[in-house]
Amino acid sequence: DAGVIQSPRHEVTEMGQEVTLRCKPISGHNSLFWYRQTMMRGLELLIYFNNNVPIDDSGMPEDRFSAKMPNASFSTLKIQPSEPRDSAVYFCASSFRGSGNQPQHFGDGTRLSIL
Amino acid sequence: QQPVQSPQAVILREGEDAVINCSSSKALYSVHWYRQKHGEAPIFLMILLKGGEQKGHDKISASFNEKKQQSSLYLTASQLSYSGTYFCGTEDGSARQLTFGSGTQLTVLP
């Protein structure tokens, strides 16, 4: 079975450019999470969706960050304009929220470098 | 509220045991444990839901105390493949998402 698929795996761009990260969750999963990981701040939840609806975006750093989930099989995280402090590894994870508690499955991440 | 993990780092020889702790100031709904190797995604290990629960597979097990405020991960007879950073993720009753601890870096030497 295919896991969570993220693209691109690596992104290097200049400050001020728009960056779009993409995620395809595991088929059948109804919850999707975007995380950012840095040495200083660890693994931080940015936003999560349940049934394609954003539930909690309190972790989104500022208005430069936005996330969408137009359907059950695709989500994007956009940074516009990008800044050097946005450099990090961004993970997408998905899970099934049913009657019980289920694990989150992580994609391989996007390593983002803003110059 | 971020859980507190300890120790921050541990170095072992192959065959030795280790314990990693994860604590919260309030009762939790669940605790999830993950392992992450350098440059890779976190991989799910196990979930604990019930106070007093213990579970495990192979030589990696975990417990959740009766008050549901502390969980421990036990690695026995460690292998080289156990090296990595271990994270606990906690879920409280109100927020249906995980808050991760700062991680414990485990290094197993031959």
Side-chain angles (χ1 to χ4, degrees), chain B residues 54-73:
Chain B
Q54 293 193 15
K55 63 166 45 174
H57 50 84
D58 200 7
K59 295 185 176 116
I60 300 177
S61 61
S63 64
F64 201 8
N65 74 344
E66 288 289 345
K67 290 186 176 180
K68 300 182 72 175
Q69 288 181 264
Q70 179 168 339
S71 178
S72 296
L73 185 72

Side-chain angles (χ1 to χ4, degrees), chain A residues 63-85:
Chain A
D63 291 345
R64 297 185 298 106
F65 285 68
S66 62
K68 294 182 180 179
M69 192 164 186
N71 56 61
S73 59
F74 184 65
S75 177
T76 59
L77 178 68
K78 189 172 292 187
I79 308 172
Q80 167 63 18
S82 57
E83 296 182 4
R85 61 190 168 127

Side-chain angles (χ1 to χ4, degrees), chain A residues 15-36:
Chain A
M15 182 175 65
Q17 296 298 307
E18 178 179 291
V19 173
T20 300
L21 310 182
R22 297 173 176 80
C23 175
K24 178 179 169 56
I26 292 173
S27 177
H29 282 188
N30 57 4
S31 291
L32 184 140
F33 307 83
W34 282 101
Y35 291 92
R36 178 172 67 177

Side-chain angles (χ1 to χ4, degrees), chain A residues 90-108:
Chain A
Y90 290 81
F91 287 105
C92 174
S94 71
S95 72
F96 177 73
R97 275 278 180 208
S99 57
N101 210 311
Q102 297 296 320
Q104 293 184 19
H105 298 267
F106 284 76
D108 288 333

